[in-house]
Amino acid sequence: MSPHAMPLETTRHHLEDLLLAPGTGATPIQLVGSDEDLAAVPGRERRWVEARGWKPTAGAVLLVPDEAGGIAKVLFGTGGADWGQQTPMLTGALPGAIPAGDYEFSGALPDPDLAALGFLNGCYRFNRYKSSANEEAKCIVLPEGADRDRILAMAEGVYLGRNLINTPANDLGPAELEAVARDVANTFGATIKVTEGTSLLSDNFPLIHAVGRASDRAPRLIDMHWGAESAPKVTIVGKGICFDTGGLNLKPGNAMSLMKKDMGGAAAALAFAVMAMRTKLPIRLRVIVPAADNSVAGNAFRPGDVLPSRNGMTVEIGNTDAEGRLVLADALSLADEEQPDYLVTFATLTGAARVALGPDLPPFYATDDDFADAMLKAAHAVGDPVWRMPFWAPYDKLLKSSIADVNHISDGPFAGSVTAALFLKRFVKKAARYAHLDIYGWVPREQPGKPRGGEPNGARALFEYFSGDRNA
C-alpha cells in the first residue's frame, strides 16, 4: 500500500474520535421543521432568526450566538416532519456549515443511527494530497437510542470506499487494490488468495488476463473468505478496473478524465465487507475482485477478437471499452461454482445507466422478487437509493454473435445497461439469487452527507438488507 494511504484501523480511530460518548458537554443542535416550530424558539433567539431572515428549509443552518459572542445553539432546518423518510442523510449538511467543536442533537430524531451517520459522512474530506489540510474536528455526541458500533461500521465502510475511488490511478493500481484487500482481510481475520499475471491463464481466468495484459501492472483476481461455513453464503463480486483508457477503442479525453473511479464496484464490495465483518453479520462472506488496467499496447485485446471464458463460453469482442463485463464474467463463473445463496455484482458498468437514471440512482437487477422488494425498501430506509430494472429476456438476442457463443455488447444503441446485465447473467447458473448494481461511484455535486467525489453506491443498502432478519 502507498505510504500515503490510510490503513483501515486509522480510519476507525478517526471516526471513533468524532462520535462522542453521551454526557459530553456540547453545543445543542435544534431541529426545526416548520414555521410553527420556529415560533416556539425563545424570544431573543427568534429575534435573531428574524433579523437574519432564516427559514427552516431542508439543510438550512443558523448559528445562534450567546451573550458572550459564542455559539448558544445551532438551528437546523429539516423542511418538514417527514424529512427522515425523504432525506435520511440530511444531517450530513451540518459539518460543512458549522465551525469545529462538539455538538449534540436536542429532541427526538426519526432515526438516531442515520442522524449520526449522516453527520459523520458529512465530515469526510479527501485531503491525502493537500500539503496543508489540518482541519479541526467537528464531533457529534451519540444520540439517545443509537447503535454506536453499527454507526461506526457503516461510516468506516463508506470512508474506505470513498478513499479508494478518490485515489488517482498512479497510486491505486491492481497491486495497491490487493494491498487494501489484504489490510481488510488481516483486520478481520479473513482468508485471502490472489491469482496474478500469467497464473490467471493456468488457473483458467482468460478474460481477466486478456483485459489486463496490455498494462505493465499485472492483472489479478482477489478472492476473500470470512465467516462460518454453516452460515448463508453471500458472495460479492466487485469490478476492479483501476484505470480504463477504453483500450484500442480509446476513450476521448473528457470521457477518460474520471476513469480512476472505474474500480468503484470493488470499492463498494470492500465497503460492504467492512460493514458486514465489523458488525459480525451471520453470513459466510466471499468477496471477489478482478483487478486490472484496461491499457493500450501492442498486445492489447482487439475489437473482433474471440476469447474463451472460464465457463467455456466463447465471447466475441464488440468494443474494448466494454472491458468490465469481461473481467466480471470470469469472476462470476468462479463465484457461481460454489452455488452461493446470494451472488451480487457491484460495477461502474455502463454510461447507459447514467442516461436512464442519472448519477444518484443506480439500476438494480435481481432474479428473485422477494429479495428485490426487500432490497428496495432497505435502500430507501437508509438513503442509499437503487431502482429496479428488468433482466428483460427478449433483449438477450441483441448479444448474438455470428462466430462465437455471444457478443459482449449489443449491436445497437438501445438498452445498454439491460444488455450488459443480461451478459453477466449468462455466467450465473447455480446461485440461488443473483443481483447486479450498475453504479456510478461518484457524486458530481455535493449533497448532504455526500461530498463531491467517490461514493460506494449500494453498499449501505445491501448492508441494511442483511442486517435484519430478511436473509433468514
Side-chain angles (χ1 to χ4, degrees):
M1 187 186 299
S2 165
H4 299 291
M6 181 178 287
L8 197 61
E9 286 302 315
T10 304
T11 300
R12 174 73 175 195
H13 294 323
H14 169 67
L15 288 164
E16 287 176 338
D17 290 342
L18 297 182
L19 191 57
L20 305 175
T24 305
T27 302
I29 299 172
Q30 181 178 341
L31 276 58
V32 184
S34 64
D35 290 336
E36 289 75 15
D37 292 342
L38 203 55
V41 172
R44 186 184 66 82
E45 294 174 2
R46 188 165 63 254
R47 288 192 293 274
W48 175 256
V49 170
E50 292 169 353
R52 304 292 296 177
W54 185 80
K55 297 293 182 182
T57 55
V61 176
L62 181 66
L63 306 181
V64 179
D66 59 22
E67 294 180 354
I71 301 175
K73 68 168 57 173
V74 176
L75 298 183
F76 181 57
T78 64
D82 63 346
W83 68 275
Q85 291 188 357
Q86 299 300 320
T87 51
M89 304 297 287
L90 184 63
T91 54
L94 281 160
I98 57 179
D102 299 343
Y103 298 88
E104 64 180 337
F105 295 110
S106 62
L109 296 164
D111 188 319
D113 284 10
L114 290 183
L117 178 65
F119 188 97
L120 293 181
N121 283 352
C123 288
Y124 175 87
R125 298 291 181 272
F126 186 68
N127 292 327
R128 176 173 168 180
Y129 298 95
K130 297 283 189 179
S131 55
S132 57
N134 295 319
E135 283 193 13
E136 293 186 61
K138 299 166 186 179
C139 305
I140 191 71
V141 173
L142 181 71
E144 183 178 354
D147 184 333
R148 187 173 191 271
D149 290 339
R150 176 177 164 81
I151 294 165
L152 289 171
M154 288 190 287
E156 185 180 3
V158 169
Y159 273 50
L160 173 65
R162 290 175 177 176
N163 285 341
L164 287 171
I165 298 170
N166 286 329
T167 301
N170 61 307
D171 276 339
L172 188 72
E176 289 78 17
L177 189 55
E178 174 191 335
V180 172
R182 288 190 182 277
D183 180 34
V184 172
N186 292 337
T187 298
F188 299 106
T191 61
I192 189 168
K193 176 185 177 183
V194 177
T195 306
E196 178 183 346
T198 56
S199 294
L200 290 166
L201 292 175
S202 57
D203 285 7
N204 193 24
F205 299 106
L207 289 176
I208 299 173
H209 182 269
V211 169
R213 71 192 183 202
S215 174
D216 59 359
R217 307 193 296 189
R220 64 206 65 211
L221 180 90
I222 302 162
D223 190 359
M224 184 193 314
H225 291 80
W226 173 89
E229 292 285 352
S230 58
K233 294 178 182 177
V234 177
T235 300
I236 313 297
V237 178
K239 174 185 169 185
I241 298 297
C242 295
F243 195 80
D244 180 20
T245 66
L248 294 178
N249 291 114
L250 194 69
K251 291 178 182 287
N254 62 343
M256 205 187 300
S257 60
L258 263 184
M259 283 301 99
K260 69 176 185 179
K261 77 171 184 65
D262 212 22
M263 38 60 62
L270 290 170
F272 170 79
V274 167
M275 297 176 200
M277 292 189 285
R278 184 65 81 179
T279 56
K280 297 181 174 61
L281 285 186
I283 61 176
R284 174 61 173 171
L285 177 64
R286 187 179 191 184
V287 177
I288 301 175
V289 173
D293 291 326
N294 187 22
S295 298
V296 179
N299 64 338
F301 74 115
R302 296 164 289 261
D305 284 356
V306 175
L307 303 176
S309 66
R310 181 177 179 84
N311 75 352
M313 193 182 303
T314 56
V315 181
E316 181 182 5
I317 302 304
N319 188 308
T320 63
D321 194 21
E323 82 300 326
R325 65 197 72 183
L326 297 175
V327 299
L328 290 172
D330 274 355
L332 281 170
S333 294
L334 172 67
D336 195 55
E337 291 164 10
E338 194 182 33
Q339 302 181 42
D341 298 292
Y342 294 85
L343 177 52
V344 180
T345 44
F346 285 100
T348 53
L349 205 62
T350 70
R354 313 288 80 78
V355 173
L357 297 177
D360 301 336
L361 189 58
F364 168 70
Y365 299 83
T367 59
D368 183 275
D369 290 340
D370 291 339
F371 171 43
D373 290 345
M375 178 68 173
L376 290 172
K377 291 176 183 176
H380 178 72
V382 297
D384 189 18
V386 299
W387 191 265
R388 192 176 185 190
M389 296 274 276
F391 281 120
W392 186 249
Y395 287 164
D396 197 60
K397 64 179 180 289
L398 299 177
L399 297 171
K400 183 179 180 180
S401 168
S402 62
I403 62 171
D405 293 328
V406 65
N407 196 309
H408 82 307
I409 63 169
S410 63
D411 59 0
F414 301 121
S417 181
V418 177
T419 54
L422 287 169
F423 175 81
L424 296 181
K425 186 172 177 286
R426 285 177 176 240
F427 296 86
V428 179
K429 306 294 185 184
K430 301 175 182 177
R433 304 166 187 84
Y434 173 56
H436 164 60
L437 289 97
D438 189 345
I439 70 174
Y440 190 46
W442 192 261
V443 178
R445 292 173 300 279
E446 185 164 346
Q447 303 169 35
K450 294 182 179 180
R452 183 181 182 276
E455 186 68 24
N457 304 114
R460 289 192 301 107
L462 193 64
F463 174 68
E464 172 69 9
Y465 171 81
F466 283 111
S467 292
D469 60 359
R470 291 174 291 268
N471 61 324

